[in-house]
Amino acid sequence: MVDTILPGIAVHRVETARLTAQVLERPAAEPGPPDATVLFVHGNVSSSLFWQPTMLTLPPGVRALAVDLRGFGGSDVLPVDAARGLGDFAEDVASVADALGLDRPHVVGWSMGGGVVMQALVEQRMPAASVTLVNPVSPYGFGATDASGKLLTPDAAGSGGGGANPDFIARLRDGDRTADAPSSPRSVYLGTYVTPGFSSEHDDIWVEAMLTTALGEANYPGDSTTSENWPGFAPGHSGVLNTMAPTQFDVSGIVDLDVKPPILWIRGANDVIVSDTSLFDLNHLGALGVIPGWPGEDVAPAQPMVAQTRAVLEAYAERGGAYREAVFEASGHSPLLEEPERFVAELVAQVIGEAPTAA
């Protein structure tokens, strides 16, 4: 068995009215109140385990907490209502923050976790001192929208639960820890979570985190419906991938918040998951010839995910907020793992106000 908890990290079970969540903590080492409290939210097919190196590297005066979302890590496996977008997850995280007595923590969301954080902001569930979005899902969801966030088809064909790779799901279910197939969790991690060629001493832990994903129509990936539009399916009503379908998820309303916490947007330049040319966007895969029958650029263009995020954040700034974009040129979807020193430096600059020292 792999020891998944690094030295210096404590594991807690936090009971709320919504769920019992597993929370990792690196306590502040200095006596008295912490200089700052940071709450980390992980992405899809992962868990809080991914945050451990970052938590351990933060200054000793910072209290670091990372929560497992429902159906991931050690938190309760509960159904996910996709009609709420990422609302189930957002409300869960807010309930954990409340149970822990957190007062305006600095919140960090990675990938889907970035969407969870944005939805929590829009729903005004959890006041935040600052927000850091790490390769976040677009404010308009995942797939099937144009540059302005408008649906390409009324049913958002090609997005949602039907887009998951069945062999990947089967290998998650079987607990495959090998890299024997392109669709094994380890291969997916090495090929898409990070820039190909990158590896770390903790890769076994990251695979274990992926394998905690609860599977099924109520969890990952979710259900789907048939569609008359290419590629023949549309989002369903439950499960993880449908929470980010653009028919269910739109948090572009962050621009209208009365209270706008400062936002740091960290993104890896080599990301192939959240990208204007995402390898998980079926329209882009159709253009590449991977999926047959693609109806063409005029009908099914790739979603410009990065451009959409930038447009929304620029509007956020124009309406009184503040944001900063930090591009990690040597990173893919996981700058927290791939360029850890710079990642922590940028985060410390956001949380404590010290200038980044790592290039």
Side-chain angles (χ1 to χ4, degrees), residues 107-183:
V107 187
V108 182
W110 171 39
S111 193
M112 182 181 78
V116 172
V117 171
M118 287 188 279
Q119 183 135 2
L121 288 179
V122 169
E123 296 182 355
Q124 301 184 30
R125 295 195 176 277
M126 185 172 59
S130 75
V131 169
T132 299
L133 303 174
V134 186
N135 293 70
V137 61
S138 164
Y140 297 108
F142 200 98
T145 56
D146 65 12
S148 69
K150 181 181 178 181
L151 292 174
L152 298 175
T153 62
D155 61 356
S159 67
N165 183 326
D167 193 56
F168 176 61
I169 296 168
R171 291 176 182 276
L172 284 173
R173 182 173 289 110
D174 292 343
D176 185 355
R177 292 169 172 79
T178 74
D180 293 345
S183 55

Side-chain angles (χ1 to χ4, degrees), residues 228-249:
E228 296 179 354
N229 302 301
W230 185 89
F233 71 87
H237 307 288
S238 64
V240 174
L241 292 187
N242 294 313
T243 65
M244 293 176 282
T247 48
Q248 314 284 17
F249 179 78

Side-chain angles (χ1 to χ4, degrees), residues 32-346:
D35 296 334
T37 297
V38 183
L39 179 61
F40 294 93
V41 184
H42 66 81
N44 191 17
V45 192
S46 66
S47 81
S48 61
L49 295 176
F50 275 87
W51 289 117
Q52 292 180 97
T54 300
M55 297 166 71
L56 291 167
T57 313
L58 287 172
V62 175
R63 182 188 186 194
L65 298 154
V67 58
D68 282 333
L69 299 174
R70 63 170 61 192
F72 297 95
S75 289
D76 286 350
V77 176
L78 298 171
V80 178
D81 180 4
R84 302 190 62 201
L86 288 166
D88 268 348
F89 294 127
E91 191 170 350
D92 289 348
V93 172
S95 74
V96 171
D98 184 63
L100 292 171
L102 304 186
D103 180 20
R104 298 183 70 246
H106 299 267
V107 187
V108 182
W110 171 39
S111 193
M112 182 181 78
V116 172
V117 171
M118 287 188 279
Q119 183 135 2
L121 288 179
V122 169
E123 296 182 355
Q124 301 184 30
R125 295 195 176 277
M126 185 172 59
S130 75
V131 169
T132 299
L133 303 174
V134 186
N135 293 70
V137 61
S138 164
Y140 297 108
F142 200 98
T145 56
D146 65 12
S148 69
K150 181 181 178 181
L151 292 174
L152 298 175
T153 62
D155 61 356
S159 67
N165 183 326
D167 193 56
F168 176 61
I169 296 168
R171 291 176 182 276
L172 284 173
R173 182 173 289 110
D174 292 343
D176 185 355
R177 292 169 172 79
T178 74
D180 293 345
S183 55
S184 73
R186 188 180 297 271
S187 294
V188 170
Y189 158 72
L190 291 171
T192 63
Y193 282 38
V194 295
T195 304
F198 174 86
S199 64
S200 81
E201 61 179 316
H202 300 307
D203 285 352
D204 288 348
I205 298 179
W206 315 148
V207 173
E208 292 301 318
M210 296 172 73
L211 292 173
T212 66
T213 303
L215 303 174
E217 290 192 349
N219 296 105
Y220 180 85
D223 61 351
S224 66
T225 59
T226 58
S227 174
E228 296 179 354
N229 302 301
W230 185 89
F233 71 87
H237 307 288
S238 64
V240 174
L241 292 187
N242 294 313
T243 65
M244 293 176 282
T247 48
Q248 314 284 17
F249 179 78
D250 181 348
V251 292
S252 59
I254 61 171
V255 303
D256 297 319
L257 291 173
D258 292 331
V259 178
K260 295 182 173 70
I263 293 177
L264 170 61
W265 177 26
I266 294 176
R267 65 179 184 88
N270 305 318
D271 192 0
V272 297
I273 297 177
V274 177
S275 166
D276 290 352
T277 53
S278 171
L279 296 182
F280 292 79
D281 180 347
L282 270 67
N283 287 354
H284 180 58
L285 293 178
L288 295 176
V290 176
I291 300 176
W294 181 60
E297 186 74 21
D298 292 342
V299 176
Q303 180 191 6
M305 303 178 189
V306 174
Q308 288 175 339
T309 299
R310 183 175 293 111
V312 169
L313 291 180
E314 287 178 351
Y316 185 85
E318 290 169 0
R319 300 188 191 187
Y323 93 94
R324 180 169 65 88
E325 179 180 355
V327 182
F328 285 50
E329 297 292 345
S331 292
H333 193 60
S334 307
L336 60 156
L337 304 180
E338 298 173 80
E339 297 181 69
E341 291 185 6
R342 183 187 172 194
F343 184 85
V344 169
E346 295 284 359

